[in-house]
């Protein structure tokens, strides 16, 4: 069975004050359906990826809510796995198709974060962590800062090395009209930005964003008028909820496990990947991801990234051409779906100024919490 | 926004006694400058990942600290302190934190 | 008091004691400068140069827990053996909800214990000692824990602001003489209705009646309780190696000691108020702990606490040969006393939750 990504759609990511979650979902879905040249009536199930609708907005039951909003009368589900909610929604949709129950499904990732104050969002995001972490008053930047410090002390990496990730992703985002930040930043600017959780600075951290992304998956319909793109692997793995339970703090074992399964299912190895969207919630996260996904060996990723090995038009494997979470934005539940959308556009050759030339195989990597759950998808064009 | 309730506090408080006074060392640390809701009064504060003598690892706030205590390997001890913002009407939330030895 | 003369409490004594002092200190001169007063004048008149300030996440319960851990460790008994807990404070975190059980749970005490919180201004904990002595002497318990702990508050610009401090002292008491680090030979009290210092329910700061807290209050009650006990035990001031009195400031204890016939050299070792201020229910007990830290075996200590409202509890303690070894088991009074950092007045307001 081949699962094609028939259509993709993404709203702009950013501080979208006038747009409600319903408006954002409708926008992303209408783009995806138009892109798929498919009628709404063909959709057999709806999967919604979202984390904070309940904690921040007091609204749960998003499956039913958006099914009605979109005019669908089909089975609908909310899937939650912290920042991996989008990727997990895609994975869940694929399971429905693989099981033969549905043939054509719609996956939507949506998050509305700017209706609330930063301190409230910060506290809400810690719902992805462990109770004792919340009691300690730590934030997500703080959890990744703890990881960053271990990595930096082990491999002699400096704050300047971390900054290279943000510099690269901001550069990519200047070529992405949907990105939240379409301006470049320099390493000096990153190092001059205020400390959020030592050693991570403001410009090491992905922003608070609103946005939605949607994809249409089908085992039945053929792609019309563009290069077909298929999802050839979808794998999920978990690790301890708390950092206290991790065996190695310089790696996210959940990523390693999910990636290993995905490569195995797809029958490929890391060196086959031409383009990847990885989970750079913080600069250190992209560095760990590149090693955990097998792109670089342990301890080497920071220097390789700083040397441009994953930069558009410089490196062979381009990482986060969309601008990543850092510069494209990170509406939590939308990210995992947007990542798939970006890879699809790349593999179709439709990415314009940020096209990774000749890309045939792509990877999307989505993480929840401080590494407690990871989802890896592999896509190929035909 | 706090999800703490008297019943949860009651369950938590039964667990602290074996930990109080135990020692460990800092595996990694961060200094929180942008606190979440309820921790504004205490910011900035360090949060540390500590390995206790029995190899168990826990995360907690570091109190009574100076800059030179913020380093990997520093010995710390578990102490009993209030957690989070003081609510004038609710049950007080106590928990464990770390103090440099 | 009591139907017997002489040593009534042969078999009641201290098995272990522990202290806690918060790390932060504020200088009297720092407070004085805010109100445009002369720090030197105030230091001289009060006999205090700095005081302890509890951190923003500390309270009478958290301090009591640490002092309690130290006392239990010195006594070498497991928490499950504690059968009674009394906590005396003027700053119990709750008006209704006992500090005794919160502290008990944190210490790992089992569930079969008598418990109550006590209030009697600065002598609440010594009243607790008397209660435990009764339970021990009656054979109703084998081990009891008493804690005096306070995060004393004072109204800004009031004279109490220079001395109201924070600290805790804990004692494990038992009735097996071979375990005593110090024995309670006897005690007595003098109580009356004297409104020298008070705090109404719901009001954050105490009030006081100025100089009325002196003669009719502090001096009368301490002197009467002390003289009664000396008479009952047929002891004289010169029999004692040390004397400890409640320390609302650095002057009153010296004056009352002199009036009772004690000498400066007996008082000075326990006179800790000059550098920690007055942590209310822990004040006199911290002086006692300081003395126990340096006392030799078989020395007599004369001790009298004072609580406004008013009353004084007078005790005679005798150290044992076990004291020297036992006190090495836990962090000493001096280790807490010397571990300090100075804070500014704005930080003091932040820690005491006024801003």
């Amino acid at each position: 069975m081949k699962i094609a990504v028939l259509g993709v759609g993404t709203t702009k990511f950013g501080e979208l004050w006038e747009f409600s979650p319903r408006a954002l979902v409708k926008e992303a879905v209408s783009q995806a359906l138009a892109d798929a040249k498919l009628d709404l009536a063909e959709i057999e199930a709806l999967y919604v990826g979202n984390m904070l609708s309940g904690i921040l907005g007091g609204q749960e039951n998003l499956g039913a809510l958006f099914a009605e909003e979109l005019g669908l009368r089909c089975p609908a589900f909310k899937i939650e796995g912290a920042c991996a909610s989008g990727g997990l929604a895609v994975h869940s949709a694929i399971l429905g198709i693989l099981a033969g129950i549905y043939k054509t499904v719609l996956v939507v990732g949506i998050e509305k974060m700017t209706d609330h104050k930063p301190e409230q969002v910060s506290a809400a995001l810690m719902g992805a962590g462990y109770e004792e972490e919340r009691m300690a008053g730590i934030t997500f930047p703080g959890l990744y800062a703890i990881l960053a410090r271990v990595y930096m002390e082990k491999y002699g990496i400096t704050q300047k090395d971390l900054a290279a990730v943000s510099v690269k992703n901001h550069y990519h985002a200047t070529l992405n009209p949907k990105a939240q930040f379409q301006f470049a930043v320099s390493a000096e600017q990153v190092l001059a930005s205020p400390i959020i959780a030592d050693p991570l600075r403001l410009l090491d951290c992905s922003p608070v964003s609103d946005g939605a992304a949607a994809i249409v998956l089908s085992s039945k319909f053929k792609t019309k008028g563009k290069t077909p793109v298929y999802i050839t692997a979808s794998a999920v793995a978990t690790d301890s909820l708390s950092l206290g339970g991790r065996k190695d703090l310089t790696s996210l074992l959940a990523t390693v496990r999910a990636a290993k399964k995905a490569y195995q299912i797809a029958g490929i190895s890391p060196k086959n990947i031409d383009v990847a969207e990885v989970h750079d919630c913080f600069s250190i996260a992209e560095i760990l991801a590149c090693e955990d996904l097998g792109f670089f060996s342990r301890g080497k990723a920071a220097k390789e990234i700083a040397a441009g090995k994953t930069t558009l038009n410089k490196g062979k494997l381009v990482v986060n051409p969309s601008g990543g979470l850092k510069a494209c934005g990170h509406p939590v539940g939308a990210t995992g779906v947007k990542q798939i959308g970006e890879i699809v556009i790349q593999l179709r050759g439709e990415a314009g100024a940020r096209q990774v030339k000749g890309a045939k195989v792509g990877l999307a990597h989505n993480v929840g919490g401080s590494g407690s759950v990871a989802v890896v998808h592999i896509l190929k064009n035909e | 926004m706090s999800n703490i309730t008297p019943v949860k506090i009651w369950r938590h408080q039964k667990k602290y006694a074996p930990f109080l006074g135990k020692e460990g060392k800092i595996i990694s640390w961060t200094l929180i400058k942008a606190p979440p809701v309820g921790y504004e009064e205490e910011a900035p504060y360090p949060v540390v990942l500590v390995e206790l003598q029995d190899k168990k690892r826990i995360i907690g706030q570091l109190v009574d600290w100076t800059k030179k205590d913020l380093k990997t390997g520093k010995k710390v001890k578990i102490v009993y302190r209030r957690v989070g913002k003081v609510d004038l009407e609710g049950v007080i939330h106590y928990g464990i934190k770390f103090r440099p030895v | 008091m009591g139907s017997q003369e002489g040593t009534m409490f042969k078999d009641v004594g201290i098995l272990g004691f522990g202290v806690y002092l918060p790390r932060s200190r504020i200088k009297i001169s720092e407070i004085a400068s805010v109100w445009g007063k002369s720090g030197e004048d105030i230091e001289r008149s009060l006999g205090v140069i700095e005081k302890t300030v509890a951190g923003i996440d500390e309270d009478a319960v958290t301090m009591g827990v640490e002092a309690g851990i130290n006392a239990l460790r010195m006594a070498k008994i497991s928490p499950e053996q504690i059968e009674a807990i009394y906590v005396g404070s003027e700053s119990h975190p709750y008006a209704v909800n006992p500090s005794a059980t919160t502290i008990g749970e944190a210490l790992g005490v089992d569930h079969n214990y008598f418990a109550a919180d006590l209030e009697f201004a600065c002598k609440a904990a010594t009243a607790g000692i008397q209660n435990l002595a009764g339970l021990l002497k009656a054979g109703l318990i084998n081990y009891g824990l008493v804690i005096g702990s306070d995060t004393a508050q004072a109204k800004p610009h009031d004279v109490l602001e220079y001395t109201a401090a924070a600290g805790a002292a804990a004692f494990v008491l038992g009735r097996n003489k071979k375990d005593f680090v110090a024995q309670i030979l006897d005690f007595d009290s003098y109580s009356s209705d004297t409104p020298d210092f008070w705090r109404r329910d719901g009001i954050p700061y105490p009030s006081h009646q100025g100089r009325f807290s002196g003669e009719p209050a502090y001096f009368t009650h301490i002197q009467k309780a002390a003289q009664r006990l000396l008479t009952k035990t047929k002891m004289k001031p010169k029999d004692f190696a040390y004397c400890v009195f409640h320390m609302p400031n650095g002057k009153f204890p010296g004056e009352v000691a002199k009036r009772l016939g004690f000498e400066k050299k007996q008082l000075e070792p326990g006179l800790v108020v000059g550098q920690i201020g007055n942590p209310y229910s822990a004040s006199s007990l911290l002086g006692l702990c300081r003395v126990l830290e340096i006392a030799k075996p078989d020395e007599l200590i004369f001790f009298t606490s004072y609580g406004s409202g008013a009353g004084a509890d007078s005790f005679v303690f005798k150290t044992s040969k076990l004291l020297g070894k036992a006190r090495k088991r836990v962090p000493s009074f001096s280790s807490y006393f010397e571990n300090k950092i100075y804070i500014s007045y704005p930080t003091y307001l932040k820690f005491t939750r006024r801003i």
Side-chain angles (χ1 to χ4, degrees), chain C residues 104-158:
Chain C
E105 192 84 27
L107 294 178
V109 174
D110 205 345
H111 298 294
N112 305 313
Y113 60 104
F114 303 121
D117 281 3
L118 299 178
E119 185 281 314
F120 196 138
C122 300
K123 83 162 190 81
T126 53
I129 295 178
Q130 294 170 332
N131 274 278
L132 283 183
L135 290 172
L136 287 162
K137 182 165 167 64
L140 292 170
I141 64 172
N142 293 306
Y143 301 101
L145 174 67
V146 61
I147 298 174
S149 179
D150 258 301
T151 51
Q153 292 276 37
K155 197 186 279 183
H157 209 168
D158 182 273

Side-chain angles (χ1 to χ4, degrees), chain C residues 84-265:
Chain C
I85 302 180
Y86 287 109
V87 179
S89 178
E90 294 181 46
S91 52
H92 289 290
Y94 296 84
V96 178
N97 189 33
S99 304
T101 53
T102 311
I103 294 177
E105 192 84 27
L107 294 178
V109 174
D110 205 345
H111 298 294
N112 305 313
Y113 60 104
F114 303 121
D117 281 3
L118 299 178
E119 185 281 314
F120 196 138
C122 300
K123 83 162 190 81
T126 53
I129 295 178
Q130 294 170 332
N131 274 278
L132 283 183
L135 290 172
L136 287 162
K137 182 165 167 64
L140 292 170
I141 64 172
N142 293 306
Y143 301 101
L145 174 67
V146 61
I147 298 174
S149 179
D150 258 301
T151 51
Q153 292 276 37
K155 197 186 279 183
H157 209 168
D158 182 273
V159 64
L160 286 175
E161 192 177 27
Y162 298 102
T163 53
F171 294 82
V172 173
L173 304 183
R175 59 193 189 93
N176 206 329
K177 195 165 183 188
K178 68 171 178 53
D179 297 330
F180 296 165
V181 301
Q183 184 182 350
I184 299 176
L185 293 189
D186 206 343
F187 59 79
D188 212 325
S189 288
Y190 183 85
S191 311
S192 78
D193 180 3
T194 306
D196 59 309
F197 169 103
W198 67 92
R199 183 169 67 80
R200 295 292 300 279
D201 192 16
I203 303 298
Y205 303 119
S207 306
H208 57 94
Q209 198 50 25
R211 287 183 56 81
F212 183 55
S213 325
E215 287 302 338
Y218 180 91
F219 289 100
T220 297
H221 292 77
I222 289 190
Q223 284 173 245
K224 285 247 168 16
Q227 273 151 358
R228 243 230 288 263
L229 184 59
L230 287 169
T231 305
K232 187 173 24 145
T233 56
K234 296 194 177 66
M235 288 175 158
K236 294 185 177 37
K238 65 173 169 61
D239 298 332
F240 296 89
Y242 302 96
C243 64
V244 177
F245 298 99
H246 172 55
M247 291 166 267
N249 55 57
K251 294 300 186 63
F252 279 15
E255 179 58 31
V256 83
K258 190 165 81 166
R259 292 185 192 184
L260 288 169
F262 290 94
E263 290 174 22
K264 258 196 180 161
K265 66 174 163 74

Side-chain angles (χ1 to χ4, degrees), chain B residues 59-78:
Chain B
I59 284 192
Q61 219 181 87
L62 187 69
V63 297
D64 291 354
W65 60 280
T66 58
K67 269 196 90 178
K68 61 178 174 58
D69 297 316
L70 301 180
K71 61 177 192 287
T72 304
K74 173 75 187 163
K75 277 216 182 97
V76 296
K77 173 171 153 159
I78 297 183

